[in-house]
Amino acid sequence: AAVLEIDFYRADAIADMDNDEIVKLSLETVATTFKTKLIDTDAIIDSAVVRARNAVSHFAPNSASWSPQAKLGDGIYICGDWVDRSGHASWSTEKAVVTGIQAASALSKDFDLKSTYTPIIGVPKDTEQLAALREVARNLRNV
């Protein structure tokens, strides 16, 4: 058994498709992306489609301190924009990609698979303008 979750960002164009069509599209996307055989929809035991039109992730102050690591325990790996990025200053789609790379690397190491390590490009230093805006925001939060 396996669990597969796919997020289609900026997906308003497919939001009106019915659930079965979105499941089929998801399976086709996986097969195309990974160059694998298409999983038959008859093999799907359960599925859920969540539609969040024009949605944006919002995080509360200090919420990152509650974020779990990419490896939860033996054989349990997670990724997403809500997972701890281990010091990588990214959010939303970028954070989901970074934590996906971290989870794949941990899984490969734990199961003695060929390394899937992909270097993660660090975030550049803030420009003077961005640093000034961050300082203004910090000061406003303390008012």
Side-chain angles (χ1 to χ4, degrees):
V3 175
L4 173 67
E5 180 175 336
I6 299 176
D7 286 334
F8 288 106
Y9 287 92
R10 304 190 195 295
D12 287 348
I14 66 169
D16 291 328
M17 294 170 70
D18 70 35
N19 289 2
D20 290 337
E21 291 174 316
I22 291 177
V23 167
K24 184 176 182 213
L25 174 65
S26 299
L27 296 174
E28 290 169 353
T29 301
V30 168
T32 301
T33 301
F34 296 107
K35 297 177 177 51
T36 61
K37 182 180 167 193
L38 181 66
I39 298 169
D40 188 343
T41 55
D42 291 338
I44 305 301
I45 296 169
D46 187 27
S47 66
V49 175
V50 177
R51 292 168 179 81
R53 295 177 191 268
N54 300 313
V56 177
S57 298
H58 292 284
F59 298 92
N62 299 319
S63 63
S65 65
W66 295 97
S67 296
Q69 297 292 316
K71 180 179 176 182
L72 290 180
D74 291 340
I76 303 173
Y77 307 88
I78 58 173
C79 58
D81 63 354
W82 49 275
V83 175
D84 182 22
R85 63 195 180 287
S86 300
H88 192 273
S90 58
W91 292 101
S92 199
T93 306
E94 295 83 4
K95 187 174 178 189
V97 170
V98 168
T99 59
I101 291 169
Q102 291 169 335
S105 294
L107 184 143
S108 294
K109 181 180 176 185
D110 289 353
F111 287 88
D112 210 20
L113 302 173
K114 180 180 174 186
S115 176
T116 59
Y117 176 75
T118 301
I120 298 170
I121 300 169
V123 178
K125 185 179 175 187
D126 287 350
T127 62
E128 288 181 31
Q129 297 88 344
L130 182 55
L133 285 171
R134 287 186 194 273
E135 183 64 28
V136 167
R138 260 193 294 296
N139 290 333
L140 288 173
R141 281 194 295 270
N142 293 324
V143 172

